[in-house]
Amino acid sequence: IPLIAASAVYRGYLNGKMRFGAVAVSQFIEAGMKLIIGLIFANIAMRAGASTDLIAAAAIFGITVGSLVTLLHLIAATNNCKSEYISRQNSKSCRELVRKILRISLPITVSSGVISLVNVIDLTVVMRGLEQNGYAENISTMIYGNYTTLAIPMFNFALSIISSVCISLLPVLSELAAKKKEEKFVETLTDASGIVAFFALPATVAFASFSNEILIILFDQGSVALGGAMLSLLSPSVALIALLTVINTSLEAKGGYTVPLISMSVGGVVKLLASSFFVGKTDLAIWGAPL
């Protein structure tokens, strides 16, 4: 956790300096090390006859090793791009810097926290709704597990590409907003929206039309029927969240940090109320979760 937190700070600095290549390399290192080291340690544990929980722990240890190597790479990359700007920043008072950072980061952090909190509450709402609909607890767990392990990961995969575009877009738009280059700001935002649409719209169509075929590539054929149907119901959200992400990025670049927080909070409350109604009080049951 502290390694990932420190890496986030370095990535934020490198993004602000528009050193996206160094950030991309760090993400490749992190993902690769997690996979390779995790598999190596899990294999060693299996050959040693370790219990299942220890084998899982050995696999998870790849995350720690990957995070450490990633942090070392980011430190080296940051040291290579230091400039006079850093020394000018250091001349400011600590209190002034902390106040400025909190003013920017708190609304964004709370927005992320709202999403995580809503997802946790949604788990409880859906499980209780299924039980109210007459499903036994073990059946409810199996159905919800199918939703969260098949439909949701594929849905999030499409969104991760969109988020990556917007992460690199934010410092560019922030610079243009600070320099009051309105025409260039709109032009850049329009170009970015086109890139996001290039990924989001085909994903929406593919998930709506070929969800089973997509899931069969990764999962056992017998388990994809339910997950595929729920992925189809989720598909319109890809385009909507893509648009929402671009709008939130432009608002943050303009300094409107609280507007995304308010909109995400309202959306989260509506999602929970809708899930509670559809899953627990109608015959839709689990189909109400993606709806």
Side-chain angles (χ1 to χ4, degrees):
I1 291 171
L3 295 173
I4 292 171
S7 296
V9 175
Y10 282 102
R11 280 194 177 121
Y13 173 76
L14 290 168
N15 276 331
K17 299 290 287 182
M18 300 187 194
R19 294 288 296 271
F20 302 124
V23 175
V25 170
S26 75
Q27 290 171 329
F28 273 110
I29 292 173
E30 186 174 20
M33 293 292 288
K34 284 178 183 178
L35 176 64
I36 295 169
I37 301 298
L39 287 174
I40 290 173
F41 278 117
N43 191 45
I44 292 172
M46 288 175 65
R47 291 186 177 183
S51 59
T52 304
D53 54 343
L54 289 177
I55 294 171
I60 292 296
F61 188 62
I63 293 177
T64 301
V65 176
S67 299
L68 175 61
V69 177
T70 300
L71 177 59
L72 295 175
H73 163 75
L74 289 167
I75 291 172
T78 301
N79 288 335
N80 288 335
C81 73
K82 278 185 176 179
S83 66
E84 294 178 2
Y85 179 74
I86 296 177
S87 61
R88 290 203 301 274
Q89 286 291 312
N90 289 338
S91 66
K92 292 185 177 180
S93 69
C94 180
R95 184 177 299 177
E96 183 184 352
L97 283 174
V98 170
R99 191 184 300 117
K100 189 173 184 180
I101 290 170
L102 289 178
R103 189 171 65 248
I104 295 171
S105 64
L106 268 180
I108 298 174
T109 304
V110 174
S111 296
S112 300
V114 165
I115 297 170
S116 301
L117 179 62
V118 166
N119 288 334
V120 171
I121 298 174
D122 192 55
L123 165 62
T124 305
V125 167
V126 172
M127 290 295 290
R128 285 182 179 175
L130 289 172
E131 290 173 17
Q132 288 173 8
N133 238 320
Y135 291 91
E137 184 178 352
N138 61 326
I139 300 298
S140 299
T141 303
M142 182 189 71
I143 293 172
Y144 190 75
N146 192 287
Y147 174 56
T148 55
T149 57
L150 275 71
I152 293 295
M154 189 58 62
F155 174 74
N156 287 338
F157 174 71
L159 296 183
S160 67
I161 300 174
I162 296 162
S163 298
S164 300
V165 174
C166 291
I167 287 171
S168 58
L169 175 66
L170 181 57
V172 177
L173 290 180
S174 297
E175 181 185 13
L176 294 173
K179 293 179 177 178
K180 302 189 185 307
K181 295 183 177 180
E182 293 295 330
E183 290 186 9
K184 186 66 176 175
F185 183 97
V186 173
E187 181 183 334
T188 304
L189 185 59
T190 302
D191 291 341
S193 299
I195 296 171
V196 168
F198 178 78
F199 291 109
L201 295 180
T204 299
V205 174
F207 290 166
S209 306
F210 309 106
S211 56
N212 283 352
E213 290 80 358
I214 292 171
L215 291 178
I216 285 172
I217 297 173
L218 300 173
F219 302 101
D220 178 68
Q221 185 169 356
S223 63
V224 305
L226 183 60
M230 288 188 283
L231 182 59
S232 293
L233 290 173
L234 277 171
S235 59
S237 300
V238 176
L240 294 172
I241 293 178
L243 180 60
L244 180 65
T245 305
V246 173
I247 293 171
N248 284 349
T249 301
S250 64
L251 287 168
E252 288 168 2
K254 285 278 194 178
Y257 307 109
T258 57
V259 181
L261 171 59
I262 295 170
S263 70
M264 297 302 283
S265 300
V266 172
V269 170
V270 171
K271 174 187 176 182
L272 293 175
L273 292 175
S275 291
S276 177
F277 175 75
F278 286 137
V279 178
K281 295 182 173 56
T282 72
D283 294 334
L284 286 170
I286 189 60
W287 309 110
L291 282 175

